[in-house]
Amino acid sequence: MKTIITRRDFLAMSAKGAGAAVISYGLMGCSSSDSDDEQVSASASFLHGVASGDPSHSAIILWTRVTPEQAADVTVSWEVATDAEFTDLVTNGEMTTTAARDYTVKVDAIGLNAGTTYYYRFKVAEVLSPTGITSTLPEGQVEQVKLAVFSCANYPAGHFNVYDLALQHDDIDAVVHLGDYLYEYARGEYASENAEQLNRQVLPEGELLELADYRTRYGQYRSDAALQQLHGKLPFITVWDDHEVCNDAWLDGAENHNEGEGDYQSRKSQALQAYFEWLPIRPWQEGNHQEIYRSFSFGDLVDLHMLDTRLLGGDKQLDYADYLDPNTGAIDAARFGQDVTSNDRTMLGAEQLQWLQAQLLTSTAKWQLLGQQVLMGQMLLPAAIATQQLSVTEFGELVALMQIAQRLEQNDPTVTTFEYTFYVENQHRLTPEAIALVQMPAIPYNLDAWDGYAYEREVILATAKSQQKNLVVIAGDTHNAWANELTDSHGDKVAVEFATSSVSSPGLEYYLGIEAEAQAQTEAGIVGLVDGLKYTNLRDRGFMVVTFTDVQVSADWHYVDTVLATDYREAMDKQVTAVTQAGDPSITLL
């Protein structure tokens, strides 16, 4: 039986932004596509597939884009049914799309039943779109929720094999995309070494600065078959990261917004307009392209809270260069510590933080899930490594030399022949400068993550701890996989964090030059250096499946063996599963 939508329900939906999409009112007796309207019969095609997103218990956003043969307004009709043959229609309608919205179509299909699979399609004249499959969120008691988590898809860096791999999973409830859905760089810039060979040179050729640029780049991304098919198979729940505007963005600027590139706020506004045009996301209100924090309720099992840690309220990132002695490389630890823990520093902004606290305090779901962009775990590394003055291997070898030297000085009889030989051959490396580097304090390796906003992280953990919430954080951004146990300033474990690798963007193997044969050693070294870190993968591209039940949450990382060819395989030897139990924020690797 179809859910009845009251006027009160309709007004509530409108207040949450349904007015920014066309609302489906129910079944229409006859659509104008059956009429003789010349505008409707204009020829158009569906080159970018279909998509759905932002599911609720009774509604979901449906999306497509039409490509007209000539510039003209186009009337598009839609149908939603419970069967693939569209014999059992539940809602339909039509709208006119124009160049002003880049010929995109967004429908808020309301009046649906909870926990139900639906089929949808669009039509222009006699041209039908592909058929999409979607589903609404479940209500009441739920036994399991399974989410596929993605981040960081850079078109010129490689093929989207990771999206294709996800298509082979038939038990996923929804896709959660944590940002960097696209990248803003010009042709030949970041991670484009193989782009020409792969026939994946970006469009437009230049850096994205204006609305038309962002629209063109979205169109190119959505021409990718794997991404199109994934959108057509599952509902997406998305947030942006920084590259949807430009690299290392914050409230009032960005690292990659430079002199001569116009007004930053104008650039950001146009970038976010394109995002809302091309992604199946429900705005809070018409024309509001700034606020995307929102919650999704999977019955009594999971409440998912999607956050904006970048553009809405984030302060500019701290920079280690401001704290390093230019002559010695030593860090002013006292001044840095004072700045990084300041309660004036914000990542979310006051309004969003208060909203999140209210959600955490009032939710009755078994699990609280934060869907957000950057690592929340304390990734404290020796300063010499964090500032890239020493590699992990170099640091480890210097520490070993210093320990052997101390033991020799104490006439330790347990020093082995191998250790003695190693010391004799390398003792010249123990210069005063090298020893000073090793003795520098541990500091965050990435100030663009929650480590650069320590006070606000503490507020969130304290809020969850006060109500003994089962809190799980998921993250992207780093292009690598991580599993962290999150502790507060008192040393108490409060939550766990699972972070996904990237779809195609290179990770630390690219930045630190980690060769394949050194992967395992480097990963073990990082895990050994960082308190609370239980797992990392520093080389492979992939995605993550997070499965919730009443008693536990598991994270399964899946990787592909290459993104440089469409002929790929799943890297079965790299699969890892991490598990946490309700009431115990610890991580066990399987």
Side-chain angles (χ1 to χ4, degrees):
M1 183 176 73
K2 188 163 74 71
T3 303
I4 301 300
I5 299 298
T6 67
R7 181 178 181 275
R8 182 176 180 180
D9 294 329
F10 173 80
L11 292 175
M13 290 292 295
S14 298
K16 293 180 179 179
V22 174
I23 300 175
S24 63
Y25 292 94
L27 289 172
M28 298 175 60
C30 176
S31 72
S32 62
S33 60
D34 297 323
S35 72
D36 295 326
D37 191 327
E38 294 180 0
Q39 173 181 288
V40 177
S41 62
S43 181
S45 53
F46 297 91
L47 301 181
H48 300 94
V50 299
S52 67
D54 274 17
S56 71
H57 301 130
S58 61
I60 193 161
I61 294 288
L62 307 178
W63 179 96
T64 193
R65 182 183 186 272
V66 298
T67 303
E69 284 192 354
Q70 57 187 13
D73 296 354
V74 180
T75 299
V76 184
S77 61
W78 69 83
E79 296 177 319
V80 181
T82 59
D83 64 310
E85 291 73 32
F86 290 86
T87 58
D88 181 25
L89 289 181
V90 296
T91 187
N92 63 357
E94 66 180 24
M95 68 167 286
T96 299
T97 186
T98 69
R101 55 189 300 154
D102 202 19
Y103 292 105
T104 58
V105 176
K106 287 176 82 168
V107 178
D108 204 342
I110 65 175
L112 307 179
N113 293 324
T116 303
T117 297
Y118 291 96
Y119 299 83
Y120 63 97
R121 64 187 180 187
F122 300 86
K123 186 178 181 181
V124 174
E126 299 305 314
V127 179
L128 282 173
S129 74
T131 295
I133 307 173
T134 192
S135 57
T136 49
L137 298 185
E139 286 184 313
Q141 185 174 354
V142 175
E143 293 184 359
Q144 177 180 283
V145 171
K146 185 169 285 193
L147 304 172
V149 183
F150 299 87
S151 179
C152 305
N154 191 21
Y155 191 87
H159 296 288
F160 290 165
N161 295 337
V162 170
Y163 289 140
D164 186 74
L165 180 62
L167 286 166
Q168 302 172 29
H169 293 249
D170 293 325
D171 56 351
I172 302 298
D173 296 306
V175 166
V176 178
H177 201 296
L178 298 178
D180 290 347
Y181 185 94
L182 55 64
Y183 283 71
E184 84 281 10
Y185 294 111
R187 185 172 295 187
E189 294 187 348
Y190 170 67
S192 297
E193 295 86 351
N194 302 297
E196 184 173 3
Q197 175 187 346
L198 299 177
N199 193 29
R200 291 179 75 86
Q201 296 273 35
V202 293
L203 297 173
E205 293 188 18
E207 184 175 334
L208 309 185
L209 298 174
E210 299 179 351
L211 178 59
D213 302 331
Y214 288 98
R215 285 171 165 175
T216 299
R217 187 70 54 88
Y218 276 108
Q220 182 181 41
Y221 269 64
R222 292 295 279 275
S223 70
D224 184 274
L227 179 55
Q228 263 193 41
Q229 291 172 38
L230 191 61
H231 267 298
K233 182 178 181 180
L234 291 165
F236 271 54
I237 299 172
T238 69
V239 286
W240 51 58
D241 195 1
D242 52 346
H243 289 288
E244 285 87 350
V245 179
C246 53
N247 184 52
D248 286 355
W250 67 90
L251 174 62
D252 295 319
E255 177 274 335
N256 194 32
H257 185 78
N258 305 306
E259 187 175 350
E261 293 183 338
D263 177 69
Y264 172 73
Q265 294 299 339
S266 175
R267 178 183 185 178
K268 182 170 78 169
S269 176
Q270 293 178 78
L272 300 189
Q273 178 182 334
Y275 182 91
F276 271 91
E277 288 173 346
W278 279 85
L279 272 295
I281 181 174
R282 180 183 291 110
W284 283 103
Q285 62 188 38
E286 187 169 5
N288 182 351
H289 301 144
Q290 304 293 320
E291 296 179 352
I292 58 168
Y293 61 91
R294 60 213 194 278
S295 289
F296 299 86
S297 175
F298 293 80
D300 64 350
L301 190 59
V302 181
D303 275 354
L304 167 61
H305 313 295
M306 300 293 281
L307 306 179
D308 179 356
T309 62
R310 288 289 192 184
L311 306 179
L312 186 62
D315 289 330
K316 185 177 181 180
Q317 303 88 341
L318 297 178
D319 189 340
Y320 278 126
D322 297 330
Y323 301 91
L324 294 178
D325 186 307
N327 298 315
T328 66
I331 188 169
D332 187 342
R335 184 165 63 89
F336 171 76
Q338 182 178 6
D339 289 350
V340 79
T341 60
S342 170
N343 58 12
D344 291 330
R345 285 191 59 72
T346 179
M347 178 177 275
L348 302 179
E351 183 175 328
Q352 185 179 190
L353 178 59
Q354 291 171 6
W355 168 85
L356 176 59
Q357 288 183 280
Q359 297 296 106
L360 292 176
L361 291 172
T362 59
S363 171
T364 58
K366 184 63 174 284
W367 297 94
Q368 303 301 307
L369 177 62
L370 303 189
Q372 50 90 61
Q373 298 82 349
V374 294
L375 284 180
M376 187 171 281
Q378 295 185 43
M379 302 294 291
L380 303 182
L381 292 173
I385 296 176
T387 57
Q388 298 187 21
Q389 297 180 73
L390 291 174
S391 69
V392 174
T393 301
E394 290 170 337
F395 182 88
E397 290 174 349
L398 287 172
V399 169
L401 284 170
M402 291 171 63
Q403 291 173 341
I404 295 171
Q406 185 178 28
R407 291 165 62 198
L408 288 172
E409 186 177 339
Q410 297 171 349
N411 296 315
D412 185 346
T414 64
V415 175
T416 66
T417 302
F418 174 81
E419 290 174 327
Y420 180 75
T421 303
F422 175 70
Y423 174 77
V424 170
E425 293 177 350
N426 293 277
Q427 60 180 319
H428 63 279
R429 295 167 60 185
L430 290 179
T431 63
E433 293 78 13
I435 293 173
L437 284 175
V438 171
Q439 293 176 339
M440 290 169 66
I443 59 175
Y445 101 95
N446 183 9
L447 297 177
D448 197 30
W450 284 94
D451 272 338
Y453 306 81
Y455 171 78
E456 203 161 74
R457 173 176 59 194
E458 197 67 22
V459 171
I460 294 172
L461 294 178
T463 303
K465 182 180 177 181
S466 70
Q467 301 295 315
Q468 297 182 315
K469 298 290 186 178
N470 293 303
L471 179 62
V472 177
V473 179
I474 52 176
D477 181 62
T478 68
H479 310 169
N480 297 115
W482 311 87
N484 284 300
E485 294 175 349
L486 305 183
T487 58
D488 63 14
S489 59
H490 302 288
D492 296 329
K493 294 179 184 178
V494 178
V496 297
E497 176 179 50
F498 302 126
T500 185
S501 184
S502 63
V503 173
S504 62
S505 298
L508 285 181
E509 85 286 352
Y510 180 86
Y511 301 106
L512 301 182
I514 303 171
E515 300 295 336
E517 57 270 18
Q519 178 180 358
Q521 179 185 3
T522 304
E523 289 169 355
I526 294 290
V527 170
L529 287 170
V530 178
D531 291 339
L533 179 62
K534 300 302 177 182
Y535 164 72
T536 186
N537 178 304
L538 301 178
R539 270 193 72 83
D540 300 293
R541 311 283 70 79
F543 74 105
M544 183 172 68
V545 175
V546 184
T547 305
F548 294 81
T549 68
D550 189 59
V551 297
Q552 71 174 34
V553 178
S554 63
D556 296 274
W557 287 271
H558 299 271
Y559 303 101
V560 297
D561 64 348
T562 185
V563 296
L564 298 181
T566 54
D567 182 15
Y568 75 94
R569 295 181 180 180
E570 182 171 4
M572 302 300 294
D573 60 321
K574 299 293 180 68
Q575 278 191 358
V576 172
T577 298
V579 175
T580 185
Q581 305 294 326
D584 179 16
S586 301
I587 293 174
T588 301
L589 296 181
L590 303 180

